[in-house]
Amino acid sequence: MTSEELMRRAVARAEENVRSGSGGPFAALVARNGVILGEGANEVTATNDPTAHAEIVAIRAACRTLGSFRLAGCEIYTTCEPCPMCLGAVYWARLDRLYFAADRADAEHAGFDDGFIYRELAAPPNARSLPMLRLLPEPARAVLELWRLTPEKVPY
Amino acid sequence: MTSEELMRRAVARAEENVRSGSGGPFAALVARNGVILGEGANEVTATNDPTAHAEIVAIRAACRTLGSFRLAGCEIYTTCEPCPMCLGAVYWARLDRLYFAADRADAEHAGFDDGFIYRELAAPPNARSLPMLRLLPEPARAVLELWRLTPEKVPY
């Protein structure tokens, strides 16, 4: 399938997600060389999972297909510019490229917090609306050091 | 349990995750009034899921416990400052407060990309290492507008 066909498919799925009452107006898919490896729509309210955004669902599905936690060589198509959670997931999944349709301003206009969360992450921690408090850094650092010095670890 | 007891428990779980070879040196838990509702350690390599960071696992577990996609009134304890993916998830879950131990610099020193991903998200889209390409914004905007005008939707 071409890039435009893949995006049209995602948009149709997003529309179906709204019409069926299954969740938010977002869908995504992961493809390699035009072949779909995983797809998903927003499932937050249907599954009581605030992390079940379309991109996360699609990435998890593609990883199941490949039996891998890395999607290098693949592309993600999403009907909206990813929120910080989903864009972070795209980086962790090592996707090669991202296609998006609507953007964060469109999402904000429809009532979503994407813009707010981008602004929060860009702010210094002590200027965020979320209180972030530090506790016991030393023992946690020791665990990170244990990892760094563990030769048989699986890096990701 | 006190905040310090909860964090010590998370740190112990992170250490166990490294020693058992189950995954990265991170653990997290969600609590309300000192009672644990969900906990988790990093499961990326064990489950082939690049989104299975400790905070995401703990948030999903707490949401299952409460049967809700909202964790307002709850706090998250994480052994390391969350990466952008996980901090975004904390906002979407509507958690009241976040306690962390190590920070992104500690994570970077141990070989993780948290700092890199923070810098990528803060950069303008066209300055990122990830190519982001726009396709078909209009039909995707129409789906967002359909959502906005759907009275019986479930906001999240």
Side-chain angles (χ1 to χ4, degrees):
Chain A
M1 293 170 78
T2 67
S3 290
E4 197 170 306
E5 287 167 340
L6 290 165
M7 186 63 88
R8 284 198 190 283
R9 178 175 170 120
V11 172
R13 186 159 179 158
E15 181 176 344
E16 168 58 21
N17 209 48
V18 179
R19 293 200 188 279
S20 64
S22 304
F26 306 105
L29 59 85
V30 172
R32 189 172 55 187
N33 300 327
V35 177
I36 296 170
L37 300 175
E39 46 189 337
N42 179 284
E43 299 179 353
V44 169
T45 56
T47 63
N48 282 327
D49 179 357
T51 75
H53 284 198
E55 296 94 328
I56 301 273
V57 176
I59 286 170
R60 299 176 84 218
C63 286
R64 280 195 299 275
T65 300
L66 294 183
S68 171
F69 53 85
R70 288 194 187 98
L71 297 174
C74 304
E75 302 173 334
I76 187 163
Y77 292 77
T78 173
T79 60
C80 190
E81 181 188 359
C83 75
M85 174 178 76
C86 293
L87 187 52
V90 167
Y91 278 98
W92 286 115
R94 317 298 177 187
L95 283 149
D96 277 12
R97 185 184 296 247
L98 182 150
Y99 292 92
F100 69 106
D103 68 11
R104 73 179 81 170
D106 300 321
E108 201 152 19
H109 180 67
F112 293 97
D113 283 342
D114 301 52
F116 164 71
I117 299 176
Y118 268 106
R119 291 188 292 276
E120 285 281 304
L121 263 68
N126 60 6
R128 292 181 184 143
S129 67
L130 175 78
M132 291 180 66
L133 302 153
R134 195 130 193 212
L135 266 186
L136 304 175
E138 288 312 327
R141 273 195 199 117
V143 176
L144 286 166
E145 190 64 4
L146 172 68
W147 165 269
R148 199 173 67 81
L149 300 175
T150 297
E152 64 275 23
K153 62 180 175 278
V154 182
Y156 59 89
Chain B
M1 295 170 80
T2 67
S3 289
E4 197 169 306
E5 287 168 341
L6 289 165
M7 186 63 88
R8 283 199 191 282
R9 177 175 170 119
V11 172
R13 186 160 179 155
E15 181 176 343
E16 168 58 23
N17 209 49
V18 179
R19 293 201 187 278
S20 65
S22 303
F26 306 106
L29 58 85
V30 172
R32 189 172 54 187
N33 301 326
V35 177
I36 296 171
L37 300 175
E39 46 190 336
N42 179 284
E43 301 178 353
V44 168
T45 55
T47 63
N48 282 327
D49 178 358
T51 75
H53 285 199
E55 298 93 327
I56 302 274
V57 175
I59 287 170
R60 298 177 85 217
C63 287
R64 279 194 300 274
T65 300
L66 294 182
S68 171
F69 53 86
R70 288 193 187 96
L71 297 174
C74 303
E75 301 173 335
I76 187 163
Y77 293 77
T78 173
T79 60
C80 189
E81 180 187 0
C83 76
M85 174 177 75
C86 293
L87 187 53
V90 168
Y91 278 98
W92 286 116
R94 316 298 178 189
L95 283 150
D96 277 12
R97 186 183 295 248
L98 182 149
Y99 292 92
F100 68 106
D103 69 9
R104 73 179 79 169
D106 300 321
E108 201 152 20
H109 179 67
F112 293 98
D113 283 341
D114 301 53
F116 165 71
I117 298 177
Y118 268 106
R119 291 187 292 276
E120 285 281 304
L121 263 69
N126 60 7
R128 292 180 183 144
S129 67
L130 175 77
M132 293 181 64
L133 302 152
R134 195 130 193 211
L135 266 186
L136 304 175
E138 288 313 325
R141 275 196 197 114
V143 176
L144 287 165
E145 190 63 5
L146 172 68
W147 164 269
R148 199 174 67 81
L149 300 175
T150 297
E152 64 274 21
K153 63 180 174 278
V154 183
Y156 59 90

